[in-house]
Amino acid sequence: MKYQKRIGVNRKSISGLKSDDEVGDELTEQNVNDINITPSIVCSNCGALYANGEWTWNALPNDHIKGVCPSCKRIEDHDPAASVIIKGTYFAGHKDEINHLVKNISKSELSDHPLERLMDIKDGASETEFTTTGIHLARRIGYALQLAYDGELRSVQSDNDHIIVYWEKDL
Ligand SMILES: [Zn+2]
């Protein structure tokens, strides 16, 4: 699934929380996943729920354990997954409008995907950078900017898997 995110939790260790009677000696790890006995995880910071292999805003089941979602972890660590960098002279004259567009897209993305969040806006002299916790949001912002205002869009992947989406337009 395109939007599905994996959490860095060892499934075997989660399975280990269940007693042997519940898991059954004959079950392989694959079977364990199939019958979905992995406890759900709730982010104690934002309330996102990890269940059935993905993070959602679904209602919390009675049986869950507390944790921190990858998105809150990135915000806490100041470790964005992606950036959108806006260059060119067009931005200065359309700042409010573009900021509004970016925030609207972020809001709509977050309502479906807890791991896709806008982190910071760094307004520099020659460029403005929006950092995000997910790469999909950065890409979506880039496409939306190009769709709304044309300009030049490109993206690069740095050594540490950080995606940078550049959108550039001059007056
Ligand atoms: Zn969270």
Side-chain angles (χ1 to χ4, degrees):
M1 258 172 74
K2 193 175 173 190
Y3 300 134
Q4 186 169 312
K5 302 290 182 202
R6 296 280 173 194
I7 183 178
V9 171
N10 183 322
R11 280 179 182 275
K12 272 184 176 160
S13 69
I14 289 180
S15 307
L17 294 171
K18 297 280 182 184
S19 73
D20 285 341
D21 289 340
E22 285 171 285
V23 174
D25 288 336
E26 77 283 3
L27 290 175
T28 63
E29 191 176 355
Q30 185 56 45
N31 288 337
V32 168
N33 292 337
D34 286 349
I35 60 173
N36 190 32
I37 60 163
T38 304
S40 305
I41 301 167
V42 173
C43 177
S44 48
N45 190 47
C46 69
L49 171 72
Y50 179 79
N52 303 318
E54 62 182 337
W55 286 92
T56 65
W57 296 117
N58 290 347
L60 307 187
N62 292 331
D63 181 19
H64 62 259
I65 57 175
K66 287 203 157 63
V68 176
C69 77
S71 196
C72 287
K73 182 88 174 67
R74 282 192 182 280
I75 292 167
E76 192 185 306
D77 295 346
H78 305 286
D79 176 30
S83 307
V84 179
I85 295 180
I86 296 180
K87 290 168 167 281
T89 53
Y90 187 82
F91 182 67
H94 300 80
K95 212 172 191 170
D96 289 347
E97 189 185 329
I98 290 174
N99 281 335
H100 188 68
L101 177 72
V102 170
K103 283 175 186 169
N104 271 351
I105 292 168
S106 305
K107 220 194 232 173
S108 121
E109 189 66 29
L110 180 60
S111 66
D112 287 333
H113 306 293
L115 301 193
E116 300 283 345
R117 293 180 207 180
L118 186 62
M119 289 175 69
D120 294 311
I121 302 174
K122 297 172 197 160
D123 214 351
S126 61
E127 61 180 41
T128 296
E129 179 180 16
F130 297 87
T131 54
T132 64
T133 60
I135 59 173
H136 178 73
L137 175 58
R139 289 210 172 101
R140 192 171 156 192
I141 291 169
Y143 286 125
L145 288 169
Q146 194 183 39
L147 195 67
Y149 309 106
D150 290 328
E152 192 191 321
L153 182 69
R154 68 194 169 89
S155 67
V156 297
Q157 185 164 1
S158 68
D159 292 343
N160 58 358
D161 280 349
H162 184 98
I163 301 279
I164 305 173
V165 174
Y166 289 96
W167 179 73
E168 183 162 5
K169 182 173 178 171
D170 290 311
L171 283 175

